Amino acid sequence: MTYTAPLQNMIFVLEDLCDLDQVASLPGLEDATPDMVRAIIKEASKYASQVLAPMNHAGDRSGLGFVDGLVTTPADWKPAYRMLVEAGWNSPAANPEYGGMGLPQLVNAAVQEMFQGANMSFQLCPMLTQGAIEAIEAYASNVLKHAYLPKLVSGLWAGTMNLTEPQAGSDLAAVRSKAVPEGDHYRISGQKTFITYGEHDLAENIIHLVLARLPDAPAGVKGISLFVVPKILVNADGSLGARNDVRCVSIEHKLGIHASPTCTLSFGDEGGAMGYLVGEPNRGLEYMFAMMNNARLNVGMQGIGVAEHATQHAIRYAAERKQGKPADASNGDTILGHPDVRRMLAVMRARTDAARIVAYRAARSLDFAKRAEEGETRAVHQRRVDLLIPVVKGWSTEMAVGTTSLGVQVYGGMGYVEETGAAQHFRDARITTIYEGTTGIQALDLVGRKILRDGGRAAGELIGDIRSAANDGDADMAAMAAEAADLIDETVAWLLRQEPKTALAAGSAVLELFGLCTGGWAMADAARAAETRIAAGQESNFLRAKLLLARIYATHVFPQARACRDVALNGTAAILELPAAWLKADN
């Protein structure tokens, strides 16, 4: 389970494709110079490769302990978590006022990719804490901020999201957990399921952000409030007090991420857990989406990180495995000489590279949306963030499932054997298309909230940026960018003419199309940047590989976008016409 952070690739994307120098010109990010960022991600890569990656497979095999409501993580995880806290890696983008590094979200995306790729089960804990930090800083009172943020930012305390209930999965309107006012706090009762890191032994306290209803709350999503509910109560002086009335009653036995506790939490078995209202009553879902956007971007980074790890894993195996007589003997007699093995590895690499660029560009827009001085610039980038987040989450994770599956295929029969580790990548990646909103929910978000609601405005701005990539560089790359813009333009125009149910029925195909087309835009830009460097005398195998991988994306991956367009425009009617009863085997 060795993992090497793709530093050269990351730096190329940060500097050549995401204009890191422009990000460093934003207020509050002046220290994020290219030299400083290179030093930071180099140090992060050491933690990823030397600490997190060696624990990954062992944690998958050993899993978790669970006795009397207490979860124990694998033996070497607590020392690794202490190292994370001491080095400041728990929340790199957090506000320095509360002890964070204050890094750009763009740079944090690279850090999260490394950590998630090296050990996804472990990094889920800091990932959820980062979301809790964002929600509390954005919406909580100053009292709550000062009481909770410094220790959450440091990692001494960890954070969770508590949305799901047995009867309320994706439909949060069905949330039943209750919050009854009692002086300066509330008594919380109810049960929450599928709570990642809801109980563990890594941090000295766990701060749950919980959705619940006040007694007089209106029905539906407009009656949900958000509460801070600590596992251990916090005294006025900041010290820890008594145990709160929240218990872990079970942990799930899952396909993957075996060392990440997925918990069922019970609040209020002994009279009600003490909780504190975040912001205003009945606006909890709005506030929780601050966490959700952070989590969805980071789940996209999970997909990219695991795909990168699986690709490295498969390449190493193929470079050593000898089987049959290769058609191409330039790589000796290993299976790298078999054209179909080479094809699988090249597609794995091209897909992962494209998704990385798209995700980093979304993170870059987060920085501009928050920090740009001009209001219109902030608004444009916020629209870009809103448009790309479901694409990054949905497309990158589906890409990861496909890429890790190819990784198993490269191994052949040995990929189906747990000892090689190839299967773990596939198992771990599978959850990424499900939690924090399934791919179908991302598709509904993209079509319903991000395209139809604004009449295609944000999509039109994206199309304009993609068309600009069609004006320079290699003719084939320019043609791919031009076609990508045309495919999005045609599909968005069609969506805007449809009834809502027809448009939403096309959602999954539209999301895949957006991913493939923004990936084509990204790879065309990568090829042009590589050509520019080569023309400036910076010849290298790395840059030549960029040109070839862009061609491979254009010929092996991007053509699927045309099929997605056809499915969206021509395939929805049959889906809507098919009676559900006819899906039964015997009707």
Side-chain angles (χ1 to χ4, degrees):
M1 272 294 183
T2 56
Y3 168 83
T4 302
L7 292 180
Q8 190 175 13
N9 212 327
M10 290 176 165
I11 291 167
F12 176 75
V13 176
L14 291 171
E15 296 183 0
D16 290 55
L17 302 176
C18 291
D19 300 314
L20 178 61
D21 55 341
Q22 292 182 15
V23 174
S25 70
L26 293 171
L29 299 180
E30 294 86 356
D31 291 338
T33 62
D35 287 345
M36 178 63 73
V37 168
R38 285 177 178 232
I40 288 170
I41 65 171
K42 183 177 180 180
E43 287 303 309
S45 75
K46 294 176 183 177
Y47 179 72
S49 61
Q50 298 172 14
V51 179
L52 295 182
M55 305 189 306
N56 193 16
H57 194 52
D60 179 71
R61 299 298 296 274
S62 66
L64 301 157
F66 182 66
V67 179
D68 296 331
L70 299 178
V71 170
T72 52
T73 53
D76 47 0
W77 285 41
K78 283 193 281 188
Y81 189 81
R82 284 196 298 271
M83 292 177 64
L84 178 96
V85 171
E86 291 167 1
W89 293 124
N90 182 65
S91 189
N95 191 334
E97 179 182 349
Y98 301 106
M101 291 187 189
L103 293 180
Q105 292 291 346
L106 171 60
V107 179
N108 189 44
V111 174
Q112 297 311 309
E113 181 197 334
M114 287 186 272
F115 292 176
Q116 299 283 6
N119 193 327
M120 181 174 149
S121 285
F122 180 93
Q123 187 59 20
L124 272 163
C125 182
M127 186 191 93
L128 270 298
T129 302
Q130 290 176 34
I133 290 166
E134 281 204 359
I136 291 173
E137 183 174 6
Y139 302 111
S141 66
N142 287 333
V143 171
L144 289 179
K145 289 179 185 179
H146 291 296
Y148 289 95
L149 284 179
K151 290 185 179 179
L152 281 169
V153 169
S154 71
L156 289 174
W157 297 351
T160 70
M161 290 195 304
N162 286 248
L163 290 76
T164 305
E165 298 179 3
Q167 79 293 340
S170 302
D171 181 12
L172 294 176
V175 163
R176 295 176 187 163
S177 292
K178 298 177 181 179
V180 178
E182 184 180 271
D184 66 349
H185 58 270
Y186 294 78
R187 290 290 179 177
I188 312 297
S189 61
Q191 189 176 90
K192 297 291 184 177
T193 58
F194 298 134
I195 307 307
T196 301
Y197 274 91
E199 165 59 29
H200 58 87
D201 57 359
L202 299 180
E204 65 181 25
N205 202 2
I206 303 172
I207 311 305
H208 304 294
L209 289 193
V210 182
L211 291 181
R213 293 185 181 280
L214 295 169
D216 59 350
V221 295
K222 294 182 179 180
I224 298 174
S225 299
L226 181 62
F227 300 87
V228 167
V229 184
K231 171 185 173 180
I232 302 173
L233 296 172
V234 181
N235 295 323
D237 63 359
S239 62
L240 295 180
R243 176 71 184 258
N244 205 356
D245 188 9
V246 53
R247 298 288 183 275
C248 178
V249 298
S250 67
I251 60 173
E252 305 297 339
H253 303 280
K254 308 185 296 293
L255 176 68
I257 54 170
H258 290 158
S260 169
T262 304
C263 306
T264 296
L265 298 182
S266 182
F267 295 83
D269 290 345
E270 299 177 5
M274 290 181 63
Y276 304 89
L277 181 66
V278 175
E280 299 177 13
N282 303 323
R283 296 183 66 186
L285 198 59
E286 171 191 342
Y287 300 157
M288 189 64 90
F289 267 98
M291 291 183 71
M292 191 67 78
N293 271 342
N294 178 291
R296 286 175 173 175
L297 175 63
N298 278 325
V299 171
M301 299 317 306
Q302 283 183 342
I304 295 161
V306 174
E308 173 66 36
H309 198 164
T311 301
Q312 293 182 16
H313 203 169
I315 291 170
R316 282 194 298 270
Y317 178 79
E320 297 172 357
R321 175 66 168 165
K322 297 180 180 181
Q323 193 72 195
K325 185 177 180 180
D328 176 3
S330 62
N331 291 95
D333 54 356
T334 69
I335 62 172
L336 273 176
H338 293 295
D340 195 58
V341 173
R342 191 87 61 85
R343 175 194 64 81
M344 288 189 285
L345 295 171
V347 168
M348 292 170 74
R349 169 60 60 213
R351 285 175 174 171
T352 304
D353 283 4
R356 175 181 295 115
I357 299 166
V358 175
Y360 284 22
R361 283 177 165 176
R364 174 185 183 271
S365 282
L366 275 171
D367 288 318
F368 277 89
K370 180 179 180 180
R371 297 178 181 272
E373 293 181 313
E374 295 182 3
E376 180 55 26
T377 300
R378 292 195 301 273
V380 167
H381 282 280
Q382 187 60 56
R383 289 194 292 272
R384 181 62 54 86
V385 168
D386 292 341
L387 185 70
L388 287 184
I389 286 292
V391 177
V392 170
K393 199 286 183 184
W395 182 63
S396 299
T397 57
E398 292 289 348
M399 176 279 297
V401 173
T403 297
T404 55
S405 179
L406 280 178
V408 172
Q409 195 73 13
V410 169
Y411 270 78
M414 292 304 294
Y416 203 67
V417 175
E418 287 290 353
E419 284 75 9
T420 64
Q424 184 191 340
H425 297 310
F426 183 46
R427 289 187 288 102
D428 287 351
R430 193 62 189 85
I431 186 59
T432 63
T433 66
I434 299 171
Y435 59 17
E436 307 305 342
T438 64
T439 304
I441 288 174
Q442 304 310 310
L444 294 177
D445 183 34
L446 174 65
V447 172
R449 294 190 182 93
K450 310 302 169 57
I451 296 176
L452 298 183
R453 186 173 291 179
D454 78 347
R457 181 181 183 184
E461 292 166 347
L462 175 67
I463 291 165
D465 285 352
I466 297 174
R467 289 202 194 284
S468 68
N471 297 326
D472 300 303
D474 176 83
D476 290 338
M477 294 298 102
M480 176 168 64
E483 185 177 2
D486 289 343
L487 287 169
I488 294 177
D489 197 5
E490 179 184 3
T491 302
V492 169
W494 177 84
L495 287 170
L496 294 174
R497 296 194 301 269
Q498 306 307 308
E499 294 181 3
K501 69 176 183 179
T502 302
L504 295 176
S508 292
V510 173
L511 186 145
E512 182 73 8
L513 179 142
F514 264 74
L516 291 164
C517 289
T518 54
W521 167 45
M523 294 300 270
D525 280 353
R528 184 171 66 251
E531 288 174 340
T532 299
R533 287 198 174 215
I534 290 170
Q538 301 177 37
E539 177 74 42
S540 70
N541 289 338
F542 171 79
L543 294 174
R544 288 293 175 189
K546 287 294 169 197
L547 301 179
L548 283 170
L549 286 168
R551 283 172 50 196
I552 289 164
Y553 188 93
T555 53
H556 288 259
V557 181
F558 179 71
Q560 298 166 27
R562 300 165 198 148
C564 290
R565 183 268 319 272
D566 292 344
V567 169
L569 273 60
N570 304 318
T572 56
I575 295 296
L576 293 172
E577 290 171 12
L578 179 67
W582 291 9
L583 293 170
K584 297 177 182 178
D586 298 322
N587 289 329

